[in-house]
Amino acid sequence: MRVALAGGGTAGHIEPALSLADALRRIDPNTQIVCLGTERGLETRLVPMRGYELGEIPAVPLPRKLTPKLLSVPGKLAGAVSAASAHLDRIQAEVLVGFGGYVATPGYLAARRRRIPIVIHEANPLPGLANRLGARLTPHVFTGHPHTEIRNGRYIGIPLREQISKLDRLSMGDKARAFFGLRPDLPTLLIFGGSQGAQAVNQAAFDSAEAFRAAGVQVLHVVGPKNAEEPQDLTREGVPYVAVPYVDRMDMAYAAADMAMCRSGALTCAELTAVGLPATFVPLPIGNGEQRLNAEPIVEAGGGLMVANADLTPQWIQQHLIPLLTDTDRIVAMSEAAAKMGRRDADEALAREVMAVAKGGAVPETPVDDFEVETDTGTYADGKDAT
């Protein structure tokens, strides 16, 4: 089977695409895969690192509003569609799978031009513009959030790395704590803010270091590579506080922890529930509020807490988080609740769907008028010069 994947720019788009690629290769090692991406996104590092081919196309960010920048989109988009078409032709792709973002739109339009079947995965509760457009072109639309509203959407979960989805967190606990220089006998809080860190989360954590120590709570704090160059050992009076710039083995970090304090991106929420790790979620305060929507079902089910970015203070941590970390029964109950919300097999489930679509063959061309997509203040539609 020959598959093109379109998902670049952010880890939230790239990691599910690569997890799907891994699952397809496990099912059929002869699967040929090309990942469409740009020369400037995270895909330039992540895709080759995972052993897959990166097919570069020009980046064409789509404006969310009617601005003068919109006038430059058709010409740029036409070039990106042509580049994507060339990659599809080169591998004779049988199916294109898109994960949203600015890489996906040229991929969808190129696949439509070549009458190649399209599969869409939307990870977020609020679909992005690219996937709202793409959903007009195919009935094969899958979502990572149970309440996502998108045309033809069907909930399947978010594909995760096997390193995460197969993790037995409890059996790995002691080994994982030793890996990070933590003690086996203390409650452990994992703090992270995404691939680059989160300044507000970092500051609240550092300001609470003395309170953590006094309560006997040890901390593994992933501060982000922009905020530190080397690991720091802030251990005091035998209670570890280990701060590191970045963690390549998040499976080990999850296994070491009793609870996390973190942002609530879609991929983060999917990973935490898959491994049954409860969390204090601190949604990113900018954007369209989707991080709050990601965490709400987990919190409502009892698998975590949520606190607004502005309310995350050392006082809040002392009043709400530290008492929870030292209450073993509550932590166990929250772990079980989080695990019930997780899905570990979304990678293989989506892979099976993709294989079935590919075997079904080409799809008829969709009329242009069928995939106009509304933006915040107007409408964007595919133009014939872009196809």
Side-chain angles (χ1 to χ4, degrees):
M1 187 173 64
R2 298 176 297 277
V3 182
L5 304 178
T10 67
H13 292 136
I14 301 164
E15 286 292 350
L18 293 176
S19 295
L20 171 63
D22 291 344
L24 288 168
R25 284 271 176 90
R26 286 198 302 272
I27 296 171
D28 180 1
N30 295 318
T31 300
Q32 184 177 353
I33 296 170
V34 62
C35 300
L36 302 182
T38 72
E39 62 180 10
R40 67 187 191 194
L42 286 176
E43 60 268 26
T44 59
R45 180 175 64 88
L46 296 179
V47 170
M49 186 171 68
R50 295 277 284 274
Y52 295 103
E53 177 191 356
L54 178 65
E56 290 189 3
I57 63 174
V60 187
L62 297 181
R64 302 290 299 192
K65 298 180 182 294
L66 291 178
T67 71
K69 292 181 179 180
L70 188 61
L71 298 176
S72 68
V73 167
K76 292 180 179 179
L77 185 58
V81 172
S82 294
S85 297
H87 289 298
L88 298 181
D89 292 343
R90 179 171 51 81
I91 71 164
Q92 297 183 307
E94 297 173 84
V95 61
L96 178 130
V97 189
F99 291 81
Y102 51 72
V103 172
T105 302
Y108 295 148
L109 298 181
R112 172 182 176 273
R113 181 164 73 177
R114 293 294 187 263
R115 301 181 67 186
I116 295 170
I118 297 169
V119 177
I120 292 174
H121 185 276
E122 173 57 61
N124 297 302
L126 298 177
L129 179 60
N131 279 351
R132 297 205 313 272
L133 186 155
R136 298 279 181 170
L137 307 179
T138 177
H140 310 296
V141 181
F142 300 92
T143 70
H145 192 281
H147 304 306
T148 300
E149 293 186 7
I150 186 172
R151 185 174 182 171
N152 300 316
R154 178 154 59 97
Y155 173 64
I156 201 169
I158 297 179
L160 303 175
R161 291 170 290 167
E162 202 173 29
Q163 191 180 56
I164 301 295
S165 64
K166 303 297 185 185
L167 175 66
D168 184 342
R169 190 167 63 85
L170 297 182
S171 69
M172 286 287 292
D174 287 349
K175 179 180 178 181
R177 293 184 184 195
F179 181 83
F180 292 108
L182 301 171
R183 287 172 50 174
D185 59 332
L186 295 180
T188 307
L189 176 66
L190 168 65
I191 302 171
F192 63 101
S195 59
Q196 298 303 316
Q199 189 58 42
V201 175
N202 286 345
Q203 193 60 55
F206 284 131
D207 289 346
S208 302
E210 179 59 27
F212 288 133
R213 184 206 59 75
V217 172
Q218 62 184 348
V219 175
L220 173 60
H221 187 170
V222 187
V223 301
K226 290 183 178 180
N227 301 306
E229 295 181 358
E230 299 290 338
Q232 292 179 278
D233 188 351
L234 305 177
T235 299
R236 299 291 184 272
E237 299 181 23
V239 180
Y241 190 123
V242 178
V244 296
Y246 188 78
V247 170
D248 286 318
R249 292 290 306 273
M250 281 304 292
D251 58 319
M252 297 291 276
Y254 292 152
D258 295 302
M259 191 168 189
M261 182 169 74
C262 55
R263 295 297 193 202
S264 49
L267 185 60
T268 294
C269 289
E271 290 187 346
L272 291 174
T273 54
V275 302
L277 182 63
T280 291
F281 296 107
V282 190
L284 194 67
I286 60 175
N288 57 11
E290 68 182 21
Q291 287 210 353
R292 177 180 56 81
L293 296 176
N294 290 334
E296 275 182 348
I298 305 170
V299 174
E300 290 171 0
L305 305 177
M306 183 152 41
V307 56
N309 193 74
D311 295 333
L312 182 65
T313 63
Q315 292 74 27
W316 189 93
I317 289 172
Q318 290 180 51
Q319 292 173 9
H320 299 278
L321 181 54
I322 289 177
L324 174 57
L325 279 160
T326 55
D327 186 339
T328 302
D329 290 340
R330 273 192 75 190
I331 287 292
V332 169
M334 292 178 73
S335 298
E336 293 174 351
K340 289 179 181 178
M341 297 294 292
R343 179 158 190 184
R344 289 176 174 252
D345 64 343
D347 56 344
E348 293 193 2
L350 183 59
R352 298 289 182 187
E353 296 285 356
V354 169
M355 294 174 74
V357 171
K359 289 177 182 177
V363 294
E365 184 173 352
T366 304
V368 169
D369 291 343
D370 277 0
F371 61 96
E372 283 193 336
V373 178
E374 294 182 0
T375 65
D376 292 337
T377 58
T379 298
Y380 173 83
D382 170 43
K384 293 183 179 179
D385 62 335
T387 60

